[in-house]
Amino acid sequence: MAKQNFGLIGLAVMGENLALNVERNGFAVSVFNRSTDKVDAFMEGRAKGKNFFGAHSIEEFVDSLEQPRRILVMVKAGGPVDAVIEQLKPLLAPGDMIIDGGNSLYTDTERRVQDLESLGFRFIGMGVSGGEEGALNGPSLMPGGTEAAYREIEPIVTKIAAQVDDGPCVTYIGSGGSGHYVKMVHNGIEYGDMQLIAEAYDLLQAGAGLDHNQLHEVFKDWNQTDELNSFLVEITTDIFKKLDPDTGGPLVELIRDAAGQKGTGRWTVISALELGVSIPTITAAVNARIMSGLKEERVAAAQALTGPTDSYEGDRQTFVNQVRDALYCSKICSYAQGMALIAAASKEYGYNLDLGETARIWKGGCIIRAGFLNKIKKAFDENPGLPNLLLAPEFKQTILDRQDAWRTVVATAAKLGLPVPAFSASLDYFDSYRRDRLPQNLTQAQRDYFGAHTYERLDKAGTFHTEWGS
């Protein structure tokens, strides 16, 4: 039998779709799964008649591949990835490569890169975004590891990635765990984006009384603008028009309001705390999902805790436009926070990341793909040292022009008793960043008072301590 060009382990839906994508782009693929009945089902189903080999043992799988072997692992992050790697190690030859395409924690990827490269193998930690459809038709790919390892898989990943006007949505991210780090922050931005959209929906439905048909039209209009055109707004438009076959009403209104999470948003917040980077919008989005999980408590609390009973009484179209502007301003802040975190990690871990190129590969395939990523790429291309997206001329002027609407929306939400944690966090981020003086001078005085932590002064150099109570 002729040897196959590429191997894939893990035939859940993402694995299957990536395997089909690789084969469709001209490569012979071997597949293996711990449950071999999945291998048989795949070979008799979606892979039938295509250039696949289905292995029934890890040894048969490895033996079916040409050298140097290139093996994509699509299993659950954590222990399962390590288990597969340990199975493969004794069977591989120097120069063979393992690619982890799951949502692994970047520190795990750092460890695996060091371990496998020291043994003469190659290892790539590759973030994959786009869901099932993206995996099949073209995802955004974020591979990190040694550049030499990336160059070996470049002919494959550039073909299977989403294609946009300026190239495939893949690039060499950087060393070590950088690929999975960038994917983690991508997911953190995704949390922020989704929460902001949910708050806009709540304001328009619960606040202004728009029904599902009106919401569909509003989001459809928004998706046709340069500012808000995006995959997430597009699918939200579709969601509002989907009716429940049993009741005839909008299906979204029958879904239990408790959101799940798989950890990448939480990891993003933890990393930001460790690096000392402020990401309040993303943190608010993670907190909102946690709060949503308290469904039974909230149902009980709703009977005991009261709030405003007012409804929005102004012009509804004016309010729709204000919410649109607030959503865009908040979205800019969410991306600004994510990019600032990536920049800080690049410096701390020596990743040498290109922020403009990072924005470019998110333009297609991935969940946060959006029209305004072109503007983000342009901002960092023009000024690679840009400390914050809020200072880029176009984004700065956008927020200055729309901040009145943004403030009105947050104030209206407070008056109506509607929680908008991500809108509010974004506005607080903007207001904190734009002020040359914050009240933490008092915080420093308090720290010095109770713990002799010292402080610095504005009018003279040095470090000072005061006996405040004397």
Side-chain angles (χ1 to χ4, degrees), residues 90 113 181 220 227 303-304 344 351 388:
V113 169
Y181 192 93
K220 182 180 177 181
E227 295 88 352
Q303 306 304 312
Y351 289 155
N388 194 292

Side-chain angles (χ1 to χ4, degrees), residues 15 50 66 81 99 103 117 151 214 226 231 261 282 313 328 351 377 383 419 426 430 437 441 450 468:
K50 297 182 171 67
E66 67 182 13
V81 176
I99 308 157
N103 272 333
E117 294 279 345
R151 296 306 168 198
Q214 292 167 319
D226 289 339
F231 173 72
Q261 54 180 314
I282 297 170
E313 295 179 352
Y328 186 46
Y351 289 155
K377 180 183 184 303
N383 183 4
S426 298
F430 170 71
R437 187 173 176 87
N441 53 317
F450 65 68
W468 295 91

Side-chain angles (χ1 to χ4, degrees), residues 406-416 427:
W406 194 9
R407 297 181 191 283
T408 297
V409 167
V410 172
T412 301
K415 183 179 179 182
L416 297 178
L427 182 57

Side-chain angles (χ1 to χ4, degrees), residues 185 189 335-344 355 358-359 362 376 380 389:
V185 178
I189 295 171
Y335 279 75
Q337 293 161 33
M339 299 309 262
L341 179 56
I342 290 173
L355 297 186
T358 299
W362 289 346
I376 295 178
F380 285 114
L389 270 180

Side-chain angles (χ1 to χ4, degrees), residues 389-401:
L389 270 180
L390 297 179
L391 298 176
E394 181 168 336
F395 292 126
K396 177 187 73 174
Q397 195 59 47
T398 291
I399 289 183
L400 293 179
D401 290 344

Side-chain angles (χ1 to χ4, degrees), residues 127-142:
V128 179
S129 180
E132 298 171 13
E133 181 183 346
L136 180 63
N137 297 316
S140 173
L141 300 173
M142 293 152 259

Side-chain angles (χ1 to χ4, degrees), residues 141-183:
L141 300 173
M142 293 152 259
T146 65
E147 186 167 3
Y150 171 72
R151 296 306 168 198
E152 290 181 24
I153 62 166
E154 190 174 25
I156 297 176
V157 294
T158 52
K159 286 188 176 181
I160 69 171
Q163 307 293 318
V164 293
D165 56 352
D166 50 5
C169 291
V170 61
T171 191
Y172 172 61
I173 297 295
S175 62
S178 60
H180 277 138
Y181 192 93
V182 168
K183 175 57 163 57

Side-chain angles (χ1 to χ4, degrees), residues 189 193 196 225-231 327-336 339 359-360 362-363 368-380 389-390 394-395 398-399:
I189 295 171
D193 241 356
L196 290 168
T225 65
D226 289 339
E227 295 88 352
L228 294 179
N229 170 258
S230 67
F231 173 72
L327 176 58
Y328 186 46
C329 290
S330 299
K331 186 183 179 83
I332 292 170
C333 287
S334 183
Y335 279 75
M339 299 309 262
R360 187 195 69 77
W362 289 346
K363 286 168 55 178
I368 64 169
R369 60 184 184 266
F372 92 131
L373 281 162
N374 279 314
K375 299 177 182 179
I376 295 178
K377 180 183 184 303
K378 179 183 177 184
F380 285 114
L389 270 180
L390 297 179
E394 181 168 336
F395 292 126
T398 291
I399 289 183

